[in-house]
Amino acid sequence: MLKITKKELFNILKARHENDKYSRLAQMPKPDSFKDIQKATTRIKDAVLKNEKITIVGDYDVDGVVSTTIVVDFFQKIGIQVDYIIPNRFEHGYGLSPKIVDMIDEGLVITVDNGISANQAAKKLKEKAIDLIITDHHTVGEELPEAFAIINPKQKECNFPFKEICGAQVAWYLCAAIKQELKKEVNLQDFFDLLCIAIIADIMPMTSLNYIMVKHGLKSIKNSKRPAFVKLNEVMQKQLFVSDDVGFTIAPKINSAGRMDDASIALSFLLSQNLYEANDSLQMLEELNCYRKTLQEEISKKAVQAMSNQDNAVIVWGEDWHEGVIGIVASKLSNAYKKPAFIFSIKNGIAKGSARANANINLHTIISKTSDLLLGFGGHKNAAGLSMEAKNLEEFKKRINELLNIEAKDLYIEHDVLGELDVSSVDIEFLDIIEKFEPYGLNNHRPIFKISNSKIIKTQLFGKDKNHLKLTLNNNGYVFEALQFHAENRDLEDCINLVVSINKNEFRGEISPQFLIQDIL
């Protein structure tokens, strides 16, 4: 196996971006390549001039909340008052639903990060003579909703050159088009702090357009004047933000509101006008996130007990499992057992589910082949939501197992190991090379290394539930520590091989390497 030197590491990471079309912000594609975007902006301009009521309908996940924040903040910056609705997961269901339409009586409706499957709600709006503009990025179904305009890069007739963007990016491009149409002065780069959070949280490919936007966005968080981010900077005390800070700390806090209570709490946080408002909202998010972690752990244990290792996917369900955490549980179990996961919560005879996969399959396509069993579904390649009558669960499980009767390597994409690592060579310069090529994510994974023949000196379980592992190891005379979060309880040999990623660990001004165990061989 290749020995990874600093020079090798630099060359490998640099090569990943040699064919990027958008290496500078000036190269980003323009808004006019989106289908219907001109039609939409003309209609919005008309609404503004006629002082019509404009209602923004978002969604309760990070992408939906950030999308709503961007559009509402943009309209505020140009002096236009808009109404906005973030659905409650438990009361209204997903996105633009008939229940949301009942709350709207006039004007123009603009969806962000949802709407492409809202056929029933769209029909209801048309009956009320209310125009609908849909902005979304989710997979387009066979039947499109009846809308005045649909802005979604996944439409067949859409010429936007990069299809794998999140809802917040589509919303941001709409704002760019409105800015041009209304001839307003707004610095659209001021929204990059928000955009990078949505791109990372929605697990978009970290390549091309997404890579350049997130790279600039992570720098923007550090210098953001937005009270929410000023507060986050104060709490987190980071010299520099990286993708993991968003994925593991910021995004879960924002997501916890919609998962556990109401996403309007997260929206209030991001739209805070001062530090007092931001502090109050952040404290609520912290409490909800702690509650989320507790419930997630409980349901994970129940799900593991209910699953069968013989199945080609993790497919489990339980009565009244909290709907807000089943998506995270699905993600966790998909990674732990290296196959797609479907987790359902049953209430009043209806099973609502979340599916996650890191595989050479398209979840949306697979689920669509069981549509005769479903009440509804939506999503994309790696994540989806679905619902059905609980009596159909066993048949659904049987069909999914048949559809996923493929090679194990296609059920889970393993991270590529770059090569063999000499632990003693990992210094500040080595860490700086990894940091230089941030952000990491889907299709641009954080570098993974193999460390061979490490002798275990000490084993320690830590955390409230004692489910995290700290190993003290000796590798050719060099002593180091390695951590594994959510570790499986297992007996280890005296001498082991590890697959690790490496982070910069900042503590009291000191920087040191933090070895994170991905696998123990």
Side-chain angles (χ1 to χ4, degrees):
M1 187 177 272
L2 179 71
K3 278 274 187 188
I4 298 294
T5 63
K6 290 170 192 171
K7 186 179 178 184
E8 281 287 352
L9 178 64
F10 182 87
N11 289 339
I12 289 168
L13 297 180
K14 183 171 180 278
R16 290 181 180 182
H17 303 286
E18 279 174 355
N19 297 319
D20 276 3
K21 283 173 67 179
Y22 313 112
S23 56
R24 291 182 295 114
L25 291 179
Q27 295 171 321
M28 293 196 317
K30 299 292 184 275
D32 55 13
S33 54
F34 277 102
K35 181 181 185 293
D36 279 5
I37 200 161
Q38 185 55 53
K39 190 179 179 187
T41 50
T42 303
R43 177 66 184 88
I44 291 165
K45 181 181 182 180
D46 192 45
V48 168
L49 294 175
K50 291 178 179 173
N51 207 23
E52 277 184 76
K53 181 176 165 185
I54 298 174
T55 304
I56 313 301
V57 178
D59 191 32
Y60 43 65
D61 69 356
V62 177
D63 192 13
V65 171
V66 169
S67 301
T68 310
T69 304
I70 288 170
V71 177
V72 171
D73 191 29
F74 171 80
F75 275 113
Q76 285 175 350
K77 279 178 165 54
I78 63 173
I80 295 164
Q81 185 64 41
V82 293
D83 285 5
Y84 48 90
I85 300 169
I86 296 264
N88 181 293
R89 180 194 295 265
F90 313 103
E91 190 182 334
H92 306 114
Y94 166 74
L96 181 68
S97 63
K99 286 182 180 177
I100 293 293
V101 174
D102 288 340
M103 299 162 66
I104 304 165
D105 294 318
E106 59 175 321
L108 173 67
V109 172
I110 304 171
T111 70
V112 289
D113 187 39
N114 76 92
I116 201 64
S117 58
N119 299 59
Q120 199 181 342
K123 203 169 284 184
K124 206 166 177 182
L125 280 173
K126 193 169 186 182
E127 287 166 7
K128 287 183 162 189
I130 297 171
D131 280 344
L132 169 64
I133 293 170
I134 292 170
T135 77
D136 202 350
H137 72 118
H138 292 100
T139 304
V140 179
E142 287 180 20
E143 185 189 348
L144 284 172
E146 291 184 77
F148 182 86
I150 298 176
I151 306 166
N152 183 332
K154 292 192 174 78
Q155 289 181 93
K156 284 177 186 170
E157 306 86 0
C158 184
N159 294 319
F160 191 77
F162 191 68
K163 304 296 183 186
E164 295 300 323
I165 58 175
C166 71
Q169 287 164 287
V170 182
W172 180 82
Y173 265 106
L174 176 64
C175 292
I178 297 167
K179 172 192 166 178
Q180 287 176 349
E181 188 71 26
L182 297 179
K183 297 180 173 54
K184 295 288 184 178
E185 286 298 317
V186 180
N187 185 355
L188 288 163
Q189 286 187 37
D190 286 348
F191 296 99
F192 275 31
D193 51 0
L194 291 163
L195 274 173
C196 77
I197 288 172
I199 297 167
I200 293 168
D202 229 44
I203 317 176
M204 292 295 107
M206 202 54 68
T207 57
S208 193
L209 181 62
N210 295 338
Y211 182 77
I212 191 71
M213 289 180 115
V214 173
K215 197 172 188 70
H216 283 270
L218 289 169
K219 290 175 187 169
S220 301
I221 292 176
K222 185 70 191 163
N223 306 309
S224 178
K225 303 269 191 300
R226 213 177 288 280
F229 289 132
V230 172
K231 198 71 210 171
L232 281 172
N233 271 293
E234 191 182 296
V235 170
M236 293 177 71
Q237 295 188 322
K238 297 286 296 185
Q239 290 182 13
L240 184 79
F241 282 87
V242 296
S243 46
D244 281 357
D245 294 320
V246 174
F248 296 119
T249 305
I250 299 174
K253 290 186 204 305
I254 295 168
N255 227 348
S256 66
R259 290 188 183 282
M260 311 311 299
D261 191 336
D262 195 292
S264 58
I265 300 165
L267 186 67
S268 296
F269 172 61
L270 294 179
L271 287 172
S272 296
Q273 295 297 302
N274 55 58
L275 290 178
Y276 297 107
E277 286 179 18
N279 186 57
D280 283 351
S281 298
L282 185 57
Q283 283 186 354
M284 288 177 75
L285 293 178
E286 292 279 14
E287 288 171 21
L288 289 169
N289 200 34
C290 287
Y291 177 43
R292 185 269 304 170
K293 287 178 186 174
T294 304
L295 273 182
Q296 177 190 324
E297 205 57 43
E298 287 174 9
I299 292 171
S300 290
K301 285 174 184 171
K302 289 176 183 175
V304 168
Q305 287 169 355
M307 64 176 274
S308 166
N309 287 324
Q310 276 68 52
D311 288 337
N312 296 320
V314 177
I315 309 172
V316 293
W317 52 84
E319 286 284 343
D320 281 331
W321 284 1
H322 197 289
E323 285 175 37
V325 299
I326 55 175
I328 312 177
V329 173
S331 184
K332 180 185 168 186
L333 296 187
S334 173
N335 288 325
Y337 294 95
K338 301 186 176 181
K339 51 190 173 184
F342 299 76
I343 313 292
F344 293 90
S345 172
I346 301 171
K347 193 170 186 178
N348 300 325
I350 301 297
K352 290 185 180 177
S354 283
R356 299 289 185 272
N358 175 27
N360 288 320
I361 60 161
N362 186 310
L363 265 183
H364 188 274
T365 305
I366 293 286
I367 293 168
S368 70
K369 291 176 181 175
T370 68
S371 59
D372 58 303
L373 300 173
L374 307 178
L375 296 171
F377 71 99
H380 42 80
K381 184 179 187 293
N382 305 103
L386 62 163
S387 64
M388 71 185 83
E389 291 183 45
K391 64 183 182 185
N392 289 334
L393 281 166
E394 287 292 352
E395 176 63 20
F396 175 81
K397 182 177 179 177
K398 178 172 166 283
R399 291 231 216 132
I400 291 293
N401 264 306
E402 289 166 358
L403 288 164
L404 293 179
N405 190 20
I406 55 179
E407 289 190 48
K409 66 180 176 63
D410 290 324
L411 291 175
Y412 187 81
I413 301 170
E414 294 279 5
H415 293 331
D416 285 337
V417 175
L418 295 193
E420 185 76 38
L421 187 67
D422 173 5
V423 185
S424 63
S425 72
V426 180
D427 56 11
I428 297 298
E429 188 184 353
F430 193 96
L431 296 174
D432 284 344
I433 293 169
I434 293 175
E435 196 172 79
K436 178 181 173 59
F437 292 97
E438 276 279 354
Y440 296 104
L442 184 66
N443 296 351
N444 177 39
H445 288 295
R446 179 173 291 281
I448 303 287
F449 310 93
K450 185 180 180 187
I451 303 174
S452 296
N453 304 319
S454 291
K455 191 175 188 325
I456 296 178
I457 300 171
K458 185 181 175 186
T459 303
Q460 181 185 347
L461 290 170
F462 67 99
K464 190 177 79 171
D465 297 313
K466 301 292 182 193
N467 60 344
H468 307 316
L469 175 68
K470 182 198 279 187
L471 296 178
T472 306
L473 301 148
N474 184 326
N475 185 265
N476 295 323
Y478 186 87
V479 177
F480 70 105
E481 289 181 347
L483 305 178
Q484 185 176 32
F485 296 104
H486 305 291
E488 287 182 61
N489 192 6
R490 58 190 273 199
D491 293 325
L492 297 172
E493 304 285 332
D494 290 340
C495 197
I496 57 173
N497 297 326
L498 299 173
V499 176
V500 302
S501 62
I502 311 170
N503 284 349
K504 253 187 189 178
N505 186 36
E506 296 175 31
F507 185 67
R508 291 177 181 166
E510 294 287 317
I511 294 174
S512 59
Q514 184 178 66
F515 295 89
L516 298 176
I517 300 169
Q518 306 298 315
D519 208 353
I520 299 174
L521 306 174

